[in-house]
Amino acid sequence: MYSKILVGLDGSAPSAHALQHAAELAKSLNSEKVTILHINKDLPLQEPILNIDLDELMKEEDQEVLAPAVQFLAESGISYETHIIHGDPASNITQYAKKHNYDVIVIGNTGKGVIKEALLGSVSHQVAHSAHCPVIIVK
């Protein structure tokens, strides 16, 4: 049913729960693979910051976010891959899933609260409304 599972991972507790759910789903359905997609938001810098290597800082953040997830999936014996993309999280997740024919997207609920979500929206909400495939939102 779900041969290819895409997980949006941002380092938060809800995204870690989403990864755990995706792993359980992959095991129970004998899925082909789980793909972890980490999105770095573009930083709107108007001036260069002196003496700071932003690329290096972003690489360090990527590794901090991905390392525990990779270890978890490796120990679980689940086939996986990781990808890092820069830009808007919601649109990149949905575009990636469609382009690569994923069967389901598993994403964490950000837990912003009702007012903030109503005013600002959330990545999980945007993904659920624009994805071509089923979306599982994990709390």
Side-chain angles (χ1 to χ4, degrees):
M1 176 180 219
Y2 297 141
S3 180
K4 294 172 65 178
I5 301 171
L6 182 66
V7 181
L9 192 72
D10 65 3
S12 67
S15 73
H17 293 132
L19 179 65
Q20 291 171 347
H21 186 80
E24 291 171 12
L25 194 60
K27 281 183 183 178
S28 67
L29 297 174
N30 202 22
S31 299
E32 175 186 330
K33 69 178 172 180
V34 171
T35 299
I36 299 170
L37 189 61
H38 176 60
I39 312 289
N40 274 323
K41 291 182 183 179
D42 289 328
L43 300 174
L45 296 177
Q46 296 175 359
E47 297 179 23
I49 300 174
L50 302 176
N51 299 325
I52 296 178
D53 185 350
L54 286 178
D55 289 335
E56 186 61 34
L57 286 175
M58 290 174 79
K59 285 179 187 176
E60 288 175 15
E61 177 189 315
D62 294 341
Q63 291 309 310
E64 286 178 22
V65 169
L66 293 175
V70 165
Q71 181 178 354
F72 169 72
L73 290 177
E75 289 173 357
S76 299
I78 296 170
S79 178
Y80 69 91
E81 59 185 43
T82 63
H83 295 279
I84 300 166
I85 299 176
H86 297 273
D88 176 63
S91 63
N92 275 296
I93 290 169
T94 55
Q95 289 171 11
Y96 190 92
K98 186 172 185 175
K99 180 179 179 181
H100 299 282
N101 299 315
Y102 278 85
D103 301 311
V104 65
I105 299 169
V106 182
I107 191 166
N109 181 6
T110 59
K112 285 183 183 177
V114 176
I115 294 173
K116 283 186 180 178
E117 185 169 335
L119 295 174
L120 303 173
S122 71
V123 172
S124 58
H125 187 206
Q126 292 170 5
V127 169
H129 285 283
S130 59
H132 78 287
C133 60
V135 176
I136 299 172
I137 300 173
V138 180
K139 289 187 176 189

